[in-house]
Amino acid sequence: MNIATPISAASSSARHAGPRTGHTVCPHDCPSACALDIDLDTEGRLGRVRGADNSYTAGVICAKVARYAERLYHPGRLLTPKRRLGAKGEGRWQEISWDAALDEIANAFVKAEQVNGSEAIWPYFYAGTMGQVQRDSIERLRHAKKYSGFFGSICTNMAWTGFVMGTGVLRGVDPREMAKSDCVVIWGTNAVATQVNVMTHAIKARKERGAKIVVIDIYDNPTMKQADMGLILKPGTDAALACAVMHIAFRDGYADHAYMARYTDDPAGLEAHLKTRGPDWAAAITGLSVEEIEGFARLVGTTPKTFFRLGYGFTRQRNGAVAMHAALSIPTVLGSWQHEGGGAFHNNNDIFRINKAELMGTAYLDRDIRMLDQSQIGRVLTGDAEALRHRGPVNALLIQNTNPVNVAPEQRLVKRGFLRDDLFTAVHEQFMTETAELADIVLPATMFVEHDDVYRGGGHSHILLGPKLVDPPETVRTNLFVIEELAKRLGVADFPGFGLDERQHIDRILNASGRGDLQTLEAEKWLDCQPSFEEAHFLGGFGHADGKFRFSPDWESTVTPNKPPARLGNLGPMDTLPRFPDQVDVIELPDAAHPYRLATSPARNFLNSTFAETRTSQAKEGRPELMISPADAGALGIAAGDLVRIGNERGSLRIHARVTDVVKPGTLIAEGLWPNKAHIDGEGINVLTGADAVAPHGGAAFHDNHVWLQKA
């Protein structure tokens, strides 16, 4: 087992005669999955981090990862296992040995199972690392022990579902083709802050081809400032814009009828439906002018090589899947898919075909075991019968790679659940997060340069190797180590799939997937899995059985990567889903009591709750602030820097006002997932977000909150 080799070991990777460059990949929850070159000094310490000469990364990475040494050597990093002393959240800890900590976790799990059955234990994880081995090995322990299932719903559900409803598969045009486009539409993603490589290829198209860059978002963010055409619309109204653009395409002759006749299901039905969805209709909904809508439609309608880069942000609404499907339908109406540099891209998940059955222990999966919704952890831990699937309570948690007390919706419920006296929680972490602060046992975890793993880039086409480059502290252990040691203590270590180290898992995954072996990947550093031009552009047909793009999707039965298992059923208000692309007002619309719409958008220097602990990121972001338009601030007597209170049915909090014209009246933006404790009252922005499931396949609508606002 690679348990994170002690730094004093004779075989230490630090024993080098001189400086060297290591090759790896950024592990964080970002579609870019950047290939990295890392300078290492003679003592094996991390130095400069920069983008590798990979065809997608193209030598460019975000600033927060470029300064990764600040995080790796942070003085606040967890270094030893700890046992809670006193009450939960009191902050008193006792250092203990690894054996003692693992014994206590295993004993707590056994006791919980004896009282309430195996479903009383809920292994809970997410994408703190995107490494396949370190992230997903927890599933093998879950299935072997028949612990409660985990339905991951917090990030991709609405976006992936809406895309696959149209195409039938989760893949699209090679994202490097942006550089060959004459128009790049960046829709619903602040790429400058969250996917810097999107901008690399879009700017290349502008410089080399004179391409126009269109940005569609809800505020004038850094990506909008790079646009030739910027469209700032009201949150949750993207489908209305998409419908109006298609209406104009049919009206003005931009629609490619021959293409649609060959490749789509019901173009005549769509055209008839859109007759009443013109620019005047959309302007009243979106807040855009008729001229803006007409101008955008004319640009994409007369530019065959238009590349639609569709992000996640605009789908984090209660109508998010519908919005994604509507936006995706535009290049299909226009026939943009036929052209190099044209078509659409969101995520390449389906091209990799990685077989992780052994890693995840799917042979042990018991379909009678309940599935619990990740986003509803607050409801689960506070005894909500529906969230628990009308079965017993959760009495024990093992948490890796996520920080739900900060990042999950309905934060007050989440915290209340973690404070239960009868709940045992073990957290394996790199820092003392707010989730770790409420745990019974805290274990220190390695960082990505301290262990081996393999990655795939959802935002591009590469499988990449992330080898161990530096030695971790002697008392820090990998995620895989924790799973293996618990398996020994819980009596399942002899099940197939256990007893392998990271390198063995990587080699077996590659072999099982028909992707070569570890030795080859070590030599090549990454493997390009991009399909042919014809396949990527769906020139042989789309992914549905009949090869047709679905303007009229089967919301009920279509299989998508996020479709809940049968025992969970479809999620959210299915009866609200439209037959054709349409504006569906299931969002939290403003009303007399809640006249504003709040979105909790990403900050440039944080990544979810990661990097919020580093000094430079904190300094660059300043403090939690609420962006308010000058008109709204003036009406309420609010000045820049004032304390304001913002709230809705779920709670309220105080925050400092940032009066700025980057937001339009009626829209409020809170950038960055700051730690709860960084806020004045010790409660973070997710006090205001809901966990109700979004149709059809669940998900959390983080950017969909109606709120009231007042001067504090």
Side-chain angles (χ1 to χ4, degrees):
M1 287 292 299
N2 175 3
I3 62 169
T5 310
I7 201 164
S8 59
S11 60
S12 169
S13 61
R15 306 301 186 232
H16 290 276
R20 64 188 180 99
T21 299
H23 308 289
T24 186
V25 54
C26 177
H28 291 292
D29 186 9
C30 168
S32 291
C34 292
L36 303 178
D37 289 339
I38 297 182
D39 292 340
L40 302 163
D41 68 16
T42 55
E43 299 300 316
R45 286 178 62 86
L46 198 74
R48 183 184 174 206
V49 180
R50 59 193 185 278
D53 187 23
N54 167 280
S55 59
Y56 185 74
T57 302
V60 179
I61 60 171
C62 67
K64 51 189 173 285
V65 173
R67 52 178 184 264
Y68 210 88
E70 182 179 3
R71 190 166 192 272
L72 187 69
Y73 303 119
H74 193 290
R77 184 177 174 182
L78 279 171
L79 295 176
T80 57
K82 300 177 186 296
R83 176 196 292 128
R84 173 175 60 87
L85 297 175
K88 289 188 176 184
E90 188 177 323
R92 295 196 297 123
W93 300 91
Q94 175 188 14
E95 291 187 3
I96 58 175
S97 70
W98 268 96
D99 280 337
L102 292 163
D103 287 346
E104 288 196 26
I105 296 169
N107 289 338
F109 285 9
V110 170
K111 290 178 182 177
E113 183 173 357
Q114 289 171 343
V115 174
N116 286 309
S118 64
E119 290 183 336
I121 298 93
W122 192 20
Y124 189 97
F125 74 110
Y126 208 54
T129 176
M130 296 294 280
Q132 305 295 294
V133 177
Q134 303 297 346
R135 184 187 65 192
D136 294 339
S137 291
I138 194 172
E139 292 281 38
R140 189 168 66 258
L141 180 65
R142 180 197 315 281
H143 298 326
K145 288 295 299 176
K146 301 189 185 304
Y147 293 152
S148 279
F150 181 86
F151 180 59
S153 62
I154 209 164
C155 180
T156 65
N157 288 43
M158 293 86 85
W160 288 13
T161 297
F163 195 95
V164 175
M165 286 294 165
T167 60
V169 288
L170 185 57
R171 59 174 170 80
V173 174
D174 187 336
R176 293 166 292 196
E177 280 190 38
M178 275 185 285
K180 300 178 180 180
S181 300
D182 294 325
C183 177
V184 179
V185 179
I186 301 173
W187 197 321
T189 180
N190 184 5
V192 167
T194 62
Q195 295 186 62
V196 65
N197 309 97
V198 170
M199 300 309 301
T200 300
H201 297 282
I203 295 296
K204 183 178 180 182
R206 173 190 277 163
K207 288 181 177 178
E208 296 183 358
R209 302 179 58 82
K212 300 297 184 184
I213 297 176
V214 181
V215 175
I216 302 170
D217 217 311
I218 60 173
Y219 69 119
D220 189 7
N221 56 40
T223 306
M224 188 76 68
K225 296 184 186 306
Q226 296 292 321
D228 299 290
M229 177 183 292
L231 302 176
I232 302 175
L233 38 66
K234 294 179 181 178
T237 65
D238 301 81
L241 172 60
C243 287
V245 170
M246 291 186 285
H247 168 99
I248 294 167
F250 282 112
R251 183 197 72 191
D252 293 354
Y254 306 140
D256 191 330
H257 291 277
Y259 177 84
M260 287 188 286
R262 180 178 178 184
Y263 287 104
T264 72
D265 62 337
D266 190 3
L270 176 66
E271 183 175 9
H273 165 73
L274 293 172
K275 288 286 187 184
T276 59
R277 304 297 192 269
D280 292 289
W281 167 82
I285 295 170
T286 62
L288 298 171
S289 69
V290 170
E291 291 74 22
E292 286 177 305
I293 297 170
E294 292 276 6
F296 174 50
R298 184 168 53 253
L299 174 61
V300 299
T302 58
T303 310
K305 292 187 174 187
T306 294
F307 192 109
F308 287 78
R309 183 58 173 86
L310 303 174
Y312 287 93
F314 78 109
T315 72
R316 291 186 176 135
Q317 307 275 342
R318 288 169 177 81
N319 60 8
V322 174
M324 172 62 83
H325 175 254
L328 179 67
S329 295
I330 299 175
T332 312
V333 168
L334 299 175
S336 307
W337 297 98
Q338 301 167 93
H339 309 286
E340 185 180 35
F345 180 82
H346 171 64
N347 185 283
N348 251 342
N349 184 71
D350 282 355
I351 73 171
F352 299 110
R353 299 187 297 278
I354 294 180
N355 185 337
K356 297 188 289 183
E358 182 181 49
L359 176 76
M360 298 174 68
T362 55
Y364 323 132
L365 173 62
D366 184 341
R367 300 192 185 280
D368 290 330
I369 297 296
R370 69 177 171 188
M371 293 284 288
L372 301 177
D373 188 338
Q374 171 197 21
S375 297
Q376 296 189 346
I377 183 172
R379 302 183 189 190
V380 167
L381 296 184
T382 53
D384 182 277
E386 184 175 352
L388 287 165
R389 308 302 159 197
H390 301 282
R391 299 192 189 181
V394 166
N395 293 113
L397 291 168
L398 170 63
I399 297 177
Q400 290 185 322
N401 307 323
T402 189
N403 180 17
V405 173
N406 182 222
V407 308
E410 298 180 342
Q411 186 182 106
R412 286 183 177 175
L413 279 183
V414 177
K415 189 169 182 179
R416 189 187 312 162
F418 271 90
L419 287 170
R420 278 172 38 201
D421 289 333
D422 65 337
L423 176 71
F424 175 87
T425 303
V427 174
H428 189 201
E429 253 296 354
Q430 297 163 346
F431 291 89
M432 187 63 81
T433 64
E434 283 160 320
T435 303
E437 288 173 349
L438 299 183
D440 298 277
I441 297 290
V442 178
L443 306 172
T446 51
M447 295 191 190
F448 78 106
V449 289
E450 297 170 336
H451 56 239
D452 296 304
D453 217 328
V454 65
Y455 303 82
R456 59 186 179 189
H460 54 78
S461 57
H462 295 100
I463 294 172
L464 309 98
L465 183 65
K468 177 183 173 184
L469 297 179
V470 303
D471 290 325
E474 293 186 9
T475 51
V476 174
R477 300 289 184 265
T478 67
N479 288 1
L480 180 61
F481 172 84
V482 170
I483 299 306
E484 288 288 335
E485 290 299 310
L486 288 177
K488 294 173 185 176
R489 290 163 171 81
L490 294 166
V492 294
D494 59 341
F495 283 36
F498 290 99
L500 304 174
D501 66 21
E502 285 88 346
R503 294 175 61 81
Q504 290 171 316
H505 273 298
I506 295 168
D507 191 60
R508 291 164 81 116
I509 289 169
L510 292 170
N511 275 279
S513 306
R515 296 296 188 184
D517 56 23
L518 174 58
Q519 184 177 3
T520 302
L521 189 57
E522 279 185 308
E524 300 293 333
K525 296 186 289 188
W526 51 74
L527 172 66
D528 193 345
C529 303
Q530 179 61 40
S532 68
F533 177 89
E534 290 74 16
E535 185 177 352
H537 285 256
F538 299 105
L539 299 185
F542 287 87
H544 296 289
D546 61 0
K548 304 285 190 180
F549 182 95
R550 294 287 188 267
F551 288 136
S552 181
D554 182 349
W555 296 104
E556 181 77 27
S557 302
T558 301
V559 176
T560 74
N562 298 104
K563 187 175 177 65
R567 62 192 184 280
L568 202 56
N570 286 320
L571 301 172
M574 295 292 294
D575 59 347
T576 64
L577 299 172
R579 180 182 174 191
F580 288 106
D582 210 348
Q583 178 64 27
V584 181
D585 287 333
V586 293
I587 58 178
E588 286 194 351
L589 290 167
D591 56 32
H594 309 88
Y596 304 96
R597 293 266 290 151
L598 168 71
T600 57
S601 303
R604 190 167 187 169
N605 292 283
F606 299 158
L607 203 168
N608 301 321
S609 67
T610 304
F611 295 99
E613 69 282 327
T614 58
R615 181 179 301 174
T616 303
S617 289
Q618 291 172 350
K620 287 181 176 293
E621 293 300 329
R623 65 182 179 185
E625 291 183 333
L626 183 69
M627 298 184 188
I628 308 170
S629 76
D632 288 337
L636 296 171
I638 294 169
D642 281 352
L643 270 180
V644 297
R645 183 173 289 278
I646 182 173
N648 57 23
E649 302 94 327
R650 291 175 283 273
S652 67
L653 56 88
R654 291 186 298 164
I655 189 170
H656 287 95
R658 178 181 163 197
V659 180
T660 172
D661 58 8
V662 305
V663 293
K664 288 188 172 182
T667 298
L668 306 173
I669 302 289
E671 273 192 340
L673 200 48
W674 284 90
N676 304 337
K677 67 182 70 173
H679 289 261
I680 295 161
D681 300 316
E683 291 187 307
I685 202 67
N686 279 323
V687 163
L688 305 175
T689 59
D692 47 303
V694 176
H697 296 164
F702 282 102
H703 303 333
D704 185 359
N705 309 287
H706 65 195
V707 293
W708 49 259
L709 172 68
Q710 62 189 32
K711 190 171 180 178

